Amino acid sequence: EKKMKLEAPSKPELSTSLAPEHPFYNQVNEVVSNHIRRLLTEIKEVKDDWVCIVDQGDLKVFKRELEENGVPLDPMKAVCTVKGMTGHEVCHYFWAFDTRMEWEATLETSRVVEWLSDDTFISNNVIKRVWPASQRDACFWSHMRHMSKSNDEGPDSWIVVNYSCEHDDCPPNKYVRITMNVALICETIIEPPADGNITRDNITCKITYTADVNPGGWAPASVLRAVYKREYPKFLRRFTTFVEEKTHNKDIMF
Ligand code: 18C
């Protein structure tokens, strides 16, 4: 049977609210476009090189084993379906800095380094230490965007990207600096009720999360893989439960 390939939109219709002359303008647009293209052109079936490591039905985690000079770089991918919330809401809370520590269980501290625009800021996250490795931190921009729809029938989609960068106010110092390229893409599926009045019961959000993380130097692969296998599903459960608590008695943010 022939696998269906979805066509990527010919040109990105939306871009960041950063000014075109901003030093991060090109990078943000390029990284986000690559995520969108990768998702839209991907064969809608998990390819052979992705291994499923967690299958809880509504939540699946996949990885590709990859090592460079002994440093484990396994790309991770998770898909998760949740009811009662929109993609806009899920992306909002993944991006929002002021509530990050309410759901992030793996961070010791997090601070804003600089706001670049109303959709993009740079932060410094210090990750809890995992024995026996040295403690890590990360410096990255977080950007949220409403994705253009290729046609009126398709689901409404939002994306958040967390991408490592350098910043004068965030030089690497006492921690090992990890680098990453993380994306959260959400589609909102609405089953229209007969009376036309959409409630949270009619809404499902399909989340695709991808993480390429370089632990930045030596880390024992077996420990890291065990930590990932435990922490990624835990993060998705904890985070989506958090979004549910934040949204269930509020107006729906479409
Ligand atoms: O995407 C997530 N969070 C974002 C917003 O904060 C952001 C952060 C991404 C960084 C994630 C990767 C961290 C990897 C650290 C490697 C550490 C190497 C240590 C070597 C160990 C041998 O995009 C959500 C991320 C969700 C989960 C990530 C799982 C990685 C776990 C990292 C270890 C922390 C464990 C702390 C728990 C302590 C329990 C003993």
Side-chain angles (χ1 to χ4, degrees):
E1 199 191 330
K2 209 163 181 291
K3 291 174 184 163
M4 195 179 68
K5 225 176 181 170
L6 293 180
E7 198 112 8
S10 51
K11 68 173 169 59
E13 286 155 34
L14 294 166
S15 64
T16 167
S17 66
L18 283 170
E21 45 287 344
H22 193 282
F24 279 104
Y25 178 84
N26 285 331
Q27 188 184 66
V28 169
N29 283 331
E30 214 172 284
V31 172
V32 173
S33 299
N34 283 343
H35 278 293
I36 296 173
R37 193 174 320 115
R38 195 160 84 173
L39 186 87
L40 293 178
T41 57
E42 196 163 278
I43 296 159
K44 288 274 162 188
E45 223 173 272
V46 177
K47 285 180 254 140
D48 303 337
D49 51 348
W50 286 97
V51 183
C52 183
I53 54 165
V54 175
D55 186 349
Q56 301 174 350
D58 58 333
L59 166 61
K60 293 187 174 67
V61 180
F62 304 87
K63 74 164 181 189
R64 262 186 322 118
E65 281 202 5
L66 184 67
E67 241 170 80
E68 225 172 65
N69 307 320
V71 179
L73 301 177
D74 303 358
M76 306 293 294
K77 178 174 172 146
V79 288
C80 180
T81 307
V82 278
K83 289 194 149 290
M85 57 190 93
T86 66
H88 189 187
E89 291 170 328
V90 174
C91 279
H92 169 79
Y93 285 104
F94 186 66
W95 175 82
F97 179 79
D98 58 340
T99 47
R100 183 179 283 172
M101 293 305 276
E102 292 178 45
W103 58 267
E104 260 286 13
T106 60
L107 297 185
E108 198 160 280
T109 59
S110 185
R111 71 173 172 103
V112 172
V113 176
E114 188 187 344
W115 275 95
L116 304 181
S117 64
D118 61 0
D119 58 18
T120 312
F121 65 96
I122 294 175
S123 67
N124 183 201
N125 279 1
V126 177
I127 299 150
K128 286 179 184 166
R129 181 164 181 244
V130 184
W131 184 88
S134 330
Q135 192 162 13
R136 263 66 172 175
D137 83 340
C139 179
F140 57 91
W141 50 255
S142 296
H143 171 77
M144 179 164 88
R145 185 182 303 186
H146 187 202
M147 280 160 64
S148 48
K149 285 194 262 183
S150 43
N151 64 65
D152 289 342
E153 302 299 306
D156 191 52
S157 308
W158 286 78
I159 181 169
V160 175
V161 176
N162 290 339
Y163 189 85
S164 284
C165 64
E166 289 177 11
H167 194 287
D168 287 346
D169 298 336
C170 189
N173 46 37
K174 57 177 175 168
Y175 305 114
V176 174
R177 180 63 52 95
I178 67 161
T179 54
M180 64 194 197
N181 183 0
V182 170
L184 184 86
I185 297 179
C186 295
E187 296 174 337
T188 308
I189 292 129
I190 298 173
E191 286 179 76
D195 66 3
N197 186 29
I198 298 170
T199 69
R200 293 197 176 274
D201 293 339
N202 311 116
I203 299 174
T204 302
C205 178
K206 207 190 132 210
I207 304 171
T208 305
Y209 172 89
T210 58
D212 289 349
V213 177
N214 185 325
W218 181 83
S222 61
V223 179
L224 196 63
R225 287 182 175 135
V227 171
Y228 283 174
K229 188 178 165 150
R230 186 187 66 209
E231 295 297 328
Y232 281 105
K234 214 163 118 186
F235 141 64
L236 281 160
R237 290 277 178 228
R238 192 177 149 102
F239 169 66
T240 52
T241 302
F242 168 79
V243 178
E244 199 202 329
E245 284 164 5
K246 283 281 178 191
T247 55
H248 77 275
N249 52 11
K250 289 201 181 89
D251 286 347
I252 302 166
M253 184 164 75
F254 286 103

